[in-house]
Amino acid sequence: MTNPDDVRRSALPLNTAHDLGPLLDRIGDARFVLIGEASHGTHDFYAWRATLTRRLIMEKEFGFVGVEGDWPDCERVNRAVTNDLDPFESLYGFERWPTFMWANEEVADFCRWLRRWNADLPPHERCGFHGLDVYSLWDSLRAVRRYAAAHLPGRTREVTEALRCFEAYGHDPQQYGLATRLVPETCEEEVVNLLAAVKRAAPEDLGVRQNAEIVAGAERYYRAMMHGGPESWNIRDLHMADTMDRLAAEGSKGVVWAHNTHVGDARATDMAAAGMTTLGQLARERHGDRAVLVGFGTHRGSVVAADRWGAQHRVMRVPPARPASLEALLHEADLPEGRALFVVPEEPRAPWFDEPLGHRAIGVVYHPEREGWGNYVPTAAGRRYDAFVWLEHTTALHPLHGEPWGDAELETYPTAM
């Protein structure tokens, strides 16, 4: 078992943005930096991630931020931050649950900073803000239809056929997935024709191409989801990896914001044995050491989440980490100020980096009472990530849509970093 002294010797101080210097040295000339989070509802993860991203943009000329969000919603934010508009309204306009992932004060603060940064740059040098995810089937299909009506008058047939096919399922992609499990008819052919038509007619237009790719990916995703197993997860992470690469096709360097379960390398967890891949694994396979993966973790605090999908979000307590976990080990090391940066060395390195330990993962649906037997992913941290940010005590983020409610005191909300 790892001695906490090994952890203390590996730790670097983390108090201000300046302390991220060793991580920037490790990043070097990397093309992609994937920055995780151990939950989707923690202020401190968002704030430190934004702090690191600002340094990457200012000092290393990173050209886009790609997030675990929907392309159409994030494109409204992108138009705001690249055109000197207040991004608050664009973020507030997020409607698909869980809105708190991106419609929150922490992201609004970062996007306002990004707008100010971009204001002094020529348009082709401005840093964008884009969604990588695959869920926006209907919004993306409608976006392709609007584009085709305005710019591709000879290609509207393929769009109309795809629309009609999905409309038969009541505009509900999950209903579509369920129906295709019961009967052989699908919209796959219509979607393939749509994507091919867009690729032929508008190969240089990233926006319409991406929306067509989302329609194709979502059709596969919702069909696979109803069959269970790892396929739907893998379709989603492959789509995010492909989107990241398309955004970087013209030479831009990209920062990615997503959960640890996407950012980390699946081969260092039990996910690989279950047949799952991740965005982080794909980035390493495609780009080698030009992709840097950064994870986050916490011992206790509060978080915004819900107790079931689609339910009202609320502030929940994050209990102390369970014994013999990665978080418990870092807690027992009693690190100064309760914060630390770990930059994983090549060789030699402390044994704890390669020791398989449970690593907490909190999703948008969270049940703290299940901490004793769930909510943890067996992980060799030094192989899953290239760097790790440790925060002993963390607090809930601040959604834009309504006041979160629950059993956490208002005093748990911090001031801005």
Side-chain angles (χ1 to χ4, degrees), residues 321-399:
R322 73 186 189 192
S325 64
L326 173 63
E327 286 77 7
L329 172 66
L330 295 172
H331 165 69
E332 290 160 7
D334 193 24
L335 297 165
E337 308 299 328
R339 293 185 297 272
L341 170 66
F342 299 94
V343 178
V344 181
E346 298 262 344
E347 299 290 345
R349 62 191 186 200
W352 75 271
F353 281 116
D354 297 303
E355 182 178 352
L357 297 167
H359 177 18
R360 179 152 50 193
I362 297 173
V364 292
V365 175
Y366 179 47
H367 295 278
E369 70 278 7
R370 299 178 185 175
E371 288 273 322
W373 68 91
N375 301 332
Y376 286 75
V377 178
T379 293
R383 290 187 281 116
R384 190 176 183 183
Y385 309 113
D386 297 298
F388 190 76
V389 175
W390 169 248
L391 305 167
E392 171 78 15
H393 181 269
T394 51
T395 54
L397 58 69
H398 305 82

Side-chain angles (χ1 to χ4, degrees), residues 59 96 118 120 122 128 148 163 171 179 191 198 274 334 350 390:
E59 299 173 37
R96 188 179 66 78
N118 283 332
D120 294 329
L163 272 166
H171 293 214
V191 167
V198 169
D334 193 24
W390 169 248

Side-chain angles (χ1 to χ4, degrees), residues 4 18 23 38 73 82 105 108 113 127 137 172-173 194 231 235 241 262 286 343 351 390-391 400 408:
H18 178 75
L23 177 51
D73 284 338
T82 57
E105 292 182 13
W113 173 87
C127 181
L137 190 155
D172 183 348
L194 167 68
E231 186 180 0
I235 288 170
H262 298 291
R286 295 177 181 185
V343 178
W390 169 248
L391 305 167
L400 300 182

